[in-house]
Amino acid sequence: MPHKKQTYVIFLAKTLVILACALLVVLAVVTDWRARKQQLQEAGTTSHNIALALARHADDTFRQADTTLVFLAERLLHDERKPASLRKLEAFLAQQTMELPQLHGLFVIDKDGKWLLNSRQYQAGNVNSRDREYYLYHRQHEDLSPHISMPVQSRANGEWIVTISRRLNGADGSFDGVVMAAIRITYFSKFYESFDIGDDGAVILASNQGTLLVRRPLMNDSIGKSLAEAAIFRDHAAINTSGTARIRSSQDGVTRINSYRHLDRYPLFVAAALSEQEVLASWRSDVLLHVSGLIVLLSLLGWLGGRLIRQIELRVEAENKANHAREHVEFLNRALQNLATQDGLTGLGNRRCFDEEMARALRRCAREGKPLALIMMDVDFFKRYNDTYGHLAGDECLRKLSQAIRQGQKREGDLAARYGGEELVLLLPDCDGDNARAIAEETLERIRALQLPHQGNSTGIVTVSAGVAVLDAVSEGDLAESLIGRADKALYLAKSTGRNRVCASEASTDTRRPMPA
């Protein structure tokens, strides 16, 4: 009977402790989940408001220019095109351009494509716009509605512009030219910079056909890029007038909260995207604080329950359980530490490990005035390899290549890492250009010696291209991005000049020399 009573007390104590802890955990999870949901809803509202402001701004920008074009078209229709009248009209265009900051210029183009008037009072000479898209559009379409063109570079000064234009008709209704307003793309860019969208947010202005006009942040291929395969256009903006969607980017893997809206008057749409990770940054901090408090509270309850339970439990059992728990935690800590710095597929250092080691190497080499070399390697035609042999074979290929590349770690401080995808790097502190080039060539030779079959490569085996960049004497002002960028350019040179070779950046001790196939 006492044993049964003690067993019942233990059971009751355990049940009370478990129920109390479970209740606290459930309450914490529900509260934090609701807070997360509210945070995302507020982010959706914010992105919606930004998109609304962007749409109104774009609509007003084009409407102001379009109003001027309507007035200009009426004047040209009713007034004779005498030199005196044209001079007055050109002065009016210049005044309008000064008053409207978005305008690059206002232009009147005759039916042959020649510049009749321009607000910049630029001496056109033989300048002709008959090859421009807006001119061809109006010559082929009889409607007098406004037309917004693809982005082009101004023939006056090379500035990127987007045009809004209207057709001019003669007295008999035939095509008689075009009135056009050129709007600076930088005008939109400066306005978009006033919005706080975070480091991974984005703002775009695009046509209803999916042509990108303006983007923040601006990328090399932003202007004029097609969004036909982008989810924000293909699945949303091309179908609906406005809305909000959660989309994971296929380019950088970032999940964003996207709000989009079409303009009321013109065939354009805008979109504002906020990074979900940045939106939830404050929420994660709150969750961490809540979890810490919950752990303290659960620990206290557990301790009190344990005190009650340990009165009738064997001390040895308690010690064994504690030892087992401690060993398990230590095992998890070691596993987490390895995961934090090691690439799970190749066993090389991961991107985080590379970034941290790069920062340390720059500081160390700057103090000692020593060189720092970086070899960036990329598997030739790796997509073809995956398509031919499958992704499992591709993973095994990367593991074998990584073993060969790891042999390039000849000294303490050298680091072989997976930079991303099929890109692998060797970071070599206190290594000059000649030695870095030699290590790169040895590495490529080891890879060729593996004789891994590759039908998609002209050599018949797996090969690697490498780019070498060296900071001959590291200084305090040198940045990791600079060294990485130079190595990447050298890698691009190796790819573009035939692959299966080593090329060095201009600042290295060598320029380029092909490896034997």
Side-chain angles (χ1 to χ4, degrees):
M1 181 66 71
H3 176 72
K4 291 184 178 180
K5 185 176 181 180
Q6 289 174 355
T7 302
Y8 174 75
V9 171
I10 293 173
F11 172 76
L12 182 61
K14 289 182 177 180
T15 301
L16 291 174
V17 171
I18 291 172
L19 287 177
C21 293
L23 181 60
L24 290 173
V25 170
V26 169
L27 289 175
V29 170
V30 171
T31 301
D32 288 334
W33 184 257
R34 292 180 63 183
R36 182 182 186 275
K37 185 176 180 181
Q38 183 179 0
Q39 195 85 19
L40 292 175
Q41 288 176 344
E42 292 176 356
T45 301
T46 299
S47 64
H48 169 79
N49 291 337
I50 293 176
L52 180 61
L54 296 176
R56 288 178 178 173
H57 172 264
D59 213 33
D60 290 343
T61 298
F62 283 100
R63 181 172 53 82
Q64 289 173 347
D66 193 27
T67 301
T68 302
L69 295 183
V70 171
F71 171 78
L72 185 57
E74 291 179 352
R75 287 284 302 271
L76 290 169
L77 179 63
H78 296 98
D79 294 351
E80 296 183 3
R81 298 184 183 183
K82 295 181 179 180
S85 299
L86 292 178
R87 284 194 297 271
K88 291 181 180 180
L89 197 55
E90 192 166 54
F92 167 75
L93 299 184
Q95 181 181 2
Q96 286 295 102
T97 301
M98 293 178 61
E99 292 178 355
L100 297 178
Q102 68 266 38
L103 289 183
H104 168 78
L106 293 164
F107 302 82
V108 178
I109 301 164
D110 67 15
K111 62 182 179 181
D112 297 320
K114 297 179 180 179
W115 287 10
L116 185 62
L117 295 175
N118 69 89
S119 62
R120 302 179 65 85
Q121 298 179 341
Y122 175 75
Q123 299 300 321
N126 293 325
V127 176
N128 197 294
S129 295
R130 61 175 172 266
D131 61 334
R132 290 298 201 189
E133 184 269 342
Y134 57 83
Y135 174 84
L136 297 173
Y137 175 87
H138 288 299
R139 192 175 65 179
Q140 297 169 2
H141 295 78
E142 295 182 357
D143 65 277
L144 301 178
S145 58
H147 172 69
I148 296 176
S149 73
M150 295 272 289
V152 295
Q153 285 184 287
S154 168
R155 284 181 169 149
N157 60 4
E159 181 180 7
W160 277 102
I161 58 173
V162 60
T163 68
I164 179 171
S165 56
R166 285 180 177 268
R167 173 185 169 116
L168 293 175
N169 280 344
D172 58 354
S174 61
F175 176 66
D176 198 30
V178 176
V179 287
M180 182 268 286
I183 299 176
R184 294 186 174 94
I185 286 181
T186 55
Y187 175 77
F188 293 100
S189 299
K190 290 179 181 178
F191 179 71
Y192 295 168
E193 289 172 359
S194 64
F195 292 92
D196 183 8
I197 58 174
D199 295 333
D200 290 329
V203 171
I204 66 170
L205 171 66
S207 71
N208 286 354
Q209 288 71 42
T211 300
L212 186 61
L213 305 182
V214 187
R215 187 185 192 278
R216 176 195 168 196
L218 184 66
M219 297 180 177
N220 293 334
D221 61 345
S222 291
I223 299 177
K225 179 180 179 180
S226 174
L227 299 176
E229 297 303 320
I232 183 62
F233 177 76
R234 182 191 64 226
D235 302 332
H236 300 282
I239 303 172
N240 303 312
T241 302
S242 63
T244 300
R246 180 178 178 270
I247 300 173
R248 180 179 176 86
S249 172
S250 60
Q251 295 183 351
D252 56 17
V254 176
T255 300
R256 295 183 175 88
I257 301 168
N258 293 261
S259 289
Y260 58 93
R261 174 175 289 273
H262 286 265
L263 273 62
D264 294 334
R265 299 181 179 89
Y266 302 99
L268 302 171
F269 76 94
V270 297
L274 302 177
S275 166
E276 185 176 85
Q277 184 175 3
E278 292 178 345
V279 167
L280 295 177
S282 61
W283 174 81
R284 285 194 296 271
S285 299
D286 292 341
V287 169
L288 181 61
L289 181 62
H290 296 164
V291 170
S292 300
L294 182 61
I295 290 174
V296 172
L297 186 55
L298 291 176
S299 300
L300 180 60
L301 288 176
W303 180 79
L304 292 174
R307 291 287 294 176
L308 177 62
I309 296 169
R310 280 196 298 272
Q311 293 179 5
I312 52 176
E313 286 184 332
L314 295 175
R315 184 174 181 178
V316 174
E317 283 183 32
E319 290 178 352
N320 289 337
K321 290 179 180 179
N323 290 335
H324 178 73
R326 183 171 58 254
E327 290 172 359
H328 185 61
V329 169
E330 290 175 353
F331 170 78
L332 291 177
N333 287 337
R334 288 194 297 269
L336 288 174
Q337 185 175 5
N338 288 335
L339 288 174
T341 58
Q342 189 178 72
D343 179 65
L345 174 64
T346 63
L348 302 180
N350 60 14
R351 178 64 182 274
R352 175 182 176 183
C353 176
F354 170 75
D355 291 340
E356 293 175 352
E357 187 59 32
M358 171 68 81
R360 286 193 292 268
L362 281 171
R363 291 194 297 269
R364 185 168 64 252
C365 291
R367 286 196 307 268
E368 300 173 0
K370 293 182 177 180
L372 177 61
L374 177 64
I375 303 172
M376 182 169 287
M377 290 162 280
D378 188 89
V379 184
D380 296 330
F381 303 111
F382 191 65
K383 183 179 183 304
R384 295 183 186 175
Y385 189 92
N386 279 333
D387 293 342
T388 303
Y389 302 99
H391 289 280
L392 291 179
D395 291 346
E396 182 61 24
C397 175
L398 285 179
R399 281 191 285 268
K400 292 180 179 179
L401 296 181
S402 299
Q403 294 174 6
I405 291 173
R406 185 184 286 111
Q407 297 178 41
Q409 298 178 153
K410 299 181 180 298
R411 301 167 303 165
E412 183 178 357
D414 294 350
L415 174 67
R418 186 182 184 188
Y419 189 77
E422 67 269 25
E423 286 189 326
L424 307 166
V425 294
L426 267 174
L427 183 64
L428 305 172
D430 192 17
C431 181
D432 59 23
D434 290 335
N435 286 325
R437 178 63 181 262
I439 291 173
E441 292 175 346
E442 291 173 2
T443 301
L444 264 64
E445 184 59 35
R446 280 196 300 272
I447 291 172
R448 284 190 291 269
L450 294 176
Q451 292 292 304
L452 298 177
H454 187 353
Q455 297 178 4
N457 197 342
S458 60
T459 62
I461 59 172
V462 173
T463 60
V464 170
S465 299
V468 179
V470 180
L471 295 174
D472 293 323
V474 181
S475 64
E476 293 293 336
D478 288 326
L479 300 175
E481 291 79 2
S482 175
L483 184 58
I484 294 172
R486 286 166 48 193
D488 190 58
K489 288 181 179 179
L491 174 59
Y492 176 80
L493 182 61
K495 287 283 188 181
S496 63
T497 54
R499 294 181 171 84
N500 188 23
R501 63 191 62 205
V502 177
C503 286
S505 67
E506 294 180 357
S508 298
T509 57
D510 200 357
T511 55
R512 54 180 146 162
R513 177 161 56 91
M515 292 288 295

